[in-house]
């Protein structure tokens, strides 16, 4: 298991740095400091390693604690933005999910797992009477996942994700009026927990 984890960590770093097409088994082996036998005991191909990195996406991130509902949903999206800026394993899995056609993949599982996380928070928000009448929780969760994906891709291309937090804040400013009651929006903290902006909102 230690060898497998070392390979996944090294592969994630390599995929994050150079992408799937430029990564090589040799480079991953050197980064992981494993033998060819150790590598092929766990993974038979570069494609197999990439698929394992994508499949492990949610294991690479620990979600913030909090009471389920709209505020926690907002906090999760900012937490994911921070992880994309600092967590190479998570960043690599996200990159590979976007690039998966390069290794013959068309698997939306990683995306739908995040949509389900968002859906869970929206169901809790409904129970707390935070959502507008007529909002379909599953539909909105899927829309949020797709919107978030587009925002992070554009942020990565334009600034290397340096402005991702600001872009997520903008996303929420435009989505929330269609999602939540006005009094609920006024209570929400639409900034990363612990940030200067969040302190001002509090």
């Amino acid at each position: 298991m230690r060898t497998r984890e070392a390979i996944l960590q090294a592969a994630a770093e390599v995929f994050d740095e150079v992408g799937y097409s430029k990564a090589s088994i040799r480079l991953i082996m050197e980064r992981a400091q494993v033998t060819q036998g150790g590598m092929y005991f766990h993974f038979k191909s570069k494609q197999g390693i990439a698929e394992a990195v994508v499949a492990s996406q949610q294991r690479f991130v620990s979600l913030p604690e909090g009471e389920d509902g709209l505020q926690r949903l907002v906090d999760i999206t900012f937490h994911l933005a921070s992880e994309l800026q600092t967590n190479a394993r998570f960043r690599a899995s996200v990159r590979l999910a976007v690039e998966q056609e390069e290794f013959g993949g068309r698997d939306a599982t990683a995306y739908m797992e995040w949509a389900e996380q968002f859906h869970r928070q929206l169901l809790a928000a409904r129970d707390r009477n935070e959502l507008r009448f007529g909002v379909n929780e599953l539909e909105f969760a899927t829309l949020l996942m797709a919107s978030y994906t587009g925002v992070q891709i554009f942020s990565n291309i334009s600034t290397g994700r340096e402005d991702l937090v600001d872009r997520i804040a903008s996303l929420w400013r435009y989505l929330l009026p269609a999602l939540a009651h006005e009094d609920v929006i006024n209570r929400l903290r639409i900034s990363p927990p612990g940030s200067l902006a969040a302190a001002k909102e509090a």
Side-chain angles (χ1 to χ4, degrees), residues 32 44 51 62 67 74 80-81 104 115 123 131 144 172 174 186 193:
K44 306 306 180 187
E51 290 171 347
S62 296
E67 186 176 1
V74 172
L80 294 179
L123 290 176
L131 303 186
L144 177 59
W172 278 120
Y174 287 96
N186 292 335

Side-chain angles (χ1 to χ4, degrees), residues 48-107:
I49 302 173
E51 290 171 347
V53 171
V54 174
S56 302
Q57 186 170 122
Q58 295 217 8
R59 281 203 304 112
F60 296 157
V61 180
S62 296
L63 296 182
E65 298 293 330
E67 186 176 1
D68 288 346
L70 204 48
Q71 182 63 68
R72 186 163 188 240
L73 174 60
V74 172
D75 290 346
I76 286 172
T77 62
F78 282 118
H79 181 74
L80 294 179
S82 176
E83 289 293 301
L84 282 167
Q85 293 172 328
T86 61
N87 184 333
R89 292 183 75 167
F90 180 51
R91 195 164 53 235
S93 67
V94 169
R95 176 171 184 166
L96 289 171
V98 174
E99 296 179 352
Q100 61 179 295
E101 287 191 354
E102 293 185 21
F103 50 92
R106 289 182 64 88
D107 186 356

Side-chain angles (χ1 to χ4, degrees), residues 39 123 125 130 143:
M39 170 67 76
L123 290 176
E130 294 178 330
L143 174 67

Side-chain angles (χ1 to χ4, degrees), residues 5-200:
E5 285 302 306
I7 293 170
L8 284 175
Q9 177 65 37
E13 292 173 1
V14 171
F15 287 134
D16 177 46
E17 292 167 9
V18 302
Y20 180 81
S21 61
K22 293 183 180 180
S24 68
I25 291 286
R26 180 189 57 78
L27 189 57
I28 294 169
M29 285 172 49
E30 290 175 355
R31 184 73 61 93
Q33 296 184 325
V34 298
T35 65
Q36 188 174 30
M39 170 67 76
Y40 286 104
F41 176 81
H42 292 283
F43 300 103
K44 306 306 180 187
S45 65
K46 182 173 75 167
Q47 178 178 342
I49 302 173
E51 290 171 347
V53 171
V54 174
S56 302
Q57 186 170 122
Q58 295 217 8
R59 281 203 304 112
F60 296 157
V61 180
S62 296
L63 296 182
E65 298 293 330
E67 186 176 1
D68 288 346
L70 204 48
Q71 182 63 68
R72 186 163 188 240
L73 174 60
V74 172
D75 290 346
I76 286 172
T77 62
F78 282 118
H79 181 74
L80 294 179
S82 176
E83 289 293 301
L84 282 167
Q85 293 172 328
T86 61
N87 184 333
R89 292 183 75 167
F90 180 51
R91 195 164 53 235
S93 67
V94 169
R95 176 171 184 166
L96 289 171
V98 174
E99 296 179 352
Q100 61 179 295
E101 287 191 354
E102 293 185 21
F103 50 92
R106 289 182 64 88
D107 186 356
T109 301
Y111 296 106
M112 298 315 299
E113 286 177 344
W114 286 114
E116 180 53 35
Q117 291 277 7
F118 298 160
H119 184 217
R120 190 174 302 123
Q121 298 308 315
L122 288 165
L123 290 176
R126 174 66 71 194
D127 290 340
R128 292 162 59 95
N129 196 33
E130 294 178 330
L131 303 186
R132 287 185 175 276
F133 176 79
V135 171
N136 182 301
E137 295 87 0
L138 181 57
E139 184 177 34
F140 192 91
T142 305
L143 174 67
L144 177 59
M145 176 275 300
S147 301
Y148 196 101
T149 299
V151 166
Q152 73 86 11
I153 289 173
F154 180 63
S155 175
N156 184 40
I157 292 172
S158 58
T159 68
R161 296 196 182 94
E162 289 184 8
D163 67 349
L164 181 56
V165 168
D166 291 335
R167 291 189 182 278
I168 297 303
S170 295
L171 180 68
W172 278 120
R173 281 196 296 272
Y174 287 96
L175 288 182
L176 280 173
L179 177 66
H181 300 298
E182 185 173 354
D183 62 316
V184 174
I185 296 173
N186 292 335
R187 296 197 304 267
L188 292 176
R189 181 183 61 252
I190 313 300
S191 298
S195 69
L196 181 60
K200 289 180 179 178

